[in-house]
Amino acid sequence: MQDIRLLVLDIDGTILGKSLEVSPAVLEAIQAVQQRGIRVAIATGRMFCSAKKYHQLIASDVPLIAYNGAWIQDPLVQKPHRQLSVPAAIALDILEYLDAEPWCSKLHLHVYHGDQLFVKELNDRVFAYQERTGCQANLLTDLRGITDHAPTKILAVCHHEDLPAKLLPEVRKRYTDHQIHCVQSTEFYVEFTSPIATKGQALKTLTEEILGLEARNVMAIGDNYNDLEMIQYAGLGIAMGNAPAGVQKIADHVTDSIENDGVAQAIAKFLL
């Protein structure tokens, strides 16, 4: 058995399914590994304020990774350990590019700054996002006022699930990897963060700088493309059964789906 001392979990699609509840089986498995002295962390694309309740639910005692790695903070400490931003000039260009045709009629934008969400209109998708995350959106008719301050993240919420596959190649032709990190995180979400903000980089910081461990001491579980770098970094990287084929392909192991408590099954197989 590997010397796993840190278990890192994504939230949506990994421990949180359609019911928006963490199942009793998953909670029991997490508690069982904690009783064995293995620490458990959260690494999510969610806002810090939205992820804190799950950090508390699993009784994590290590800093939380939010915004796909752009934000690392212990909820008990006021100041983030790390906070990365999209450069203001790039953020403005992204905003103007996506706020014009052919994209503007097919998606809407969320801009995040200071752990707050800003939108230019309130619609059913924004209301659904607020209900799912527990965070309220701020209405700002001109989002350029936020991009000037170098936002933490820009999220393109696509109206149809076939749009990310069309959008991503165009974005990657327009911007280099040194300008922006762009990734699909759900069927409908395309996310833009600092070029050095990935869950993998954040997990490396958490593991080595904050906890004094090594990659070989980490087991990480995720379900989508924004989990790729985290799964690759970990000594034991696990993809959910509901993850896209491209994510499953790079994992060391593929567990069952979220609906079948895949996290609990992975914990039982490797840690208990």
Side-chain angles (χ1 to χ4, degrees), residues 4 11 15 22 43 67 72 82 85-86 105 116 124 127 130-131 140 167 198 202 204 207 214 221 224 232 236 252 266:
I4 301 297
I11 295 178
I15 63 170
V22 180
Y67 292 103
I72 305 173
R82 183 174 83 165
S85 301
V86 179
S105 61
Q116 295 189 67
D124 289 345
F127 294 140
Q130 290 181 145
E131 182 177 356
L140 189 66
L167 176 60
T198 69
K204 179 180 174 65
T207 300
E214 301 176 19
I221 310 178
N224 223 305
Q232 289 173 319
L236 181 56
D252 298 309

Side-chain angles (χ1 to χ4, degrees), residues 132-239:
R132 185 172 63 82
T133 64
C135 295
Q136 295 299 304
N138 299 283
L139 186 61
L140 189 66
T141 53
D142 188 354
L143 293 173
R144 289 176 295 184
I146 294 299
T147 56
D148 286 346
H149 295 288
T152 305
K153 185 175 81 169
I154 298 173
L155 171 64
V157 181
C158 301
H159 298 169
H160 301 284
E161 62 183 19
D162 63 341
L163 188 61
K166 299 174 182 177
L167 176 60
L168 281 165
E170 297 304 316
V171 166
R172 288 168 178 161
K173 284 191 288 187
R174 187 177 180 89
Y175 307 105
T176 70
D177 291 341
H178 298 291
Q179 293 177 304
I180 196 75
H181 180 68
C182 179
V183 67
Q184 182 176 356
S185 61
T186 74
E187 296 94 327
F188 299 98
Y189 289 178
V190 176
E191 313 207 10
F192 301 82
T193 54
S194 160
I196 57 172
T198 69
K199 289 188 185 182
Q201 286 291 340
L203 180 53
K204 179 180 174 65
T205 298
L206 175 65
T207 300
E208 300 175 22
E209 294 182 19
I210 299 176
L211 301 179
L213 300 174
E214 301 176 19
R216 65 183 180 87
N217 302 128
V218 179
M219 174 170 144
I221 310 178
D223 78 299
N224 223 305
Y225 291 106
N226 59 328
D227 297 310
L228 274 175
E229 292 90 351
M230 176 175 81
I231 291 171
Q232 289 173 319
Y233 171 80
L236 181 56
I238 297 178

Side-chain angles (χ1 to χ4, degrees), residues 39-146:
R39 304 174 84 174
V40 184
I42 292 288
T44 180
R46 285 186 179 226
M47 303 169 70
F48 177 72
C49 62
S50 174
K52 283 194 295 185
K53 63 181 178 181
Y54 298 104
H55 183 275
Q56 182 178 16
L57 177 67
I58 67 168
S60 176
D61 67 345
V62 295
L64 191 161
I65 296 171
Y67 292 103
N68 286 330
W71 194 297
I72 305 173
Q73 184 174 345
D74 185 334
L76 299 178
V77 176
Q78 292 297 317
K79 187 177 179 181
H81 179 87
R82 183 174 83 165
Q83 187 177 347
L84 302 171
S85 301
V86 179
I90 298 296
L92 179 60
D93 192 82
I94 292 169
L95 187 68
E96 293 181 340
Y97 176 59
L98 297 180
D99 204 26
E101 290 296 355
W103 309 117
C104 65
S105 61
K106 301 172 183 176
L107 56 79
H108 68 271
L109 296 171
H110 292 183
V111 180
Y112 303 83
H113 179 68
D115 205 27
Q116 295 189 67
L117 165 61
F118 297 87
V119 297
K120 74 172 187 177
E121 63 175 313
L122 296 173
N123 54 44
D124 289 345
R125 290 182 175 87
V126 173
F127 294 140
Y129 182 91
Q130 290 181 145
E131 182 177 356
R132 185 172 63 82
T133 64
C135 295
Q136 295 299 304
N138 299 283
L139 186 61
L140 189 66
T141 53
D142 188 354
L143 293 173
R144 289 176 295 184
I146 294 299

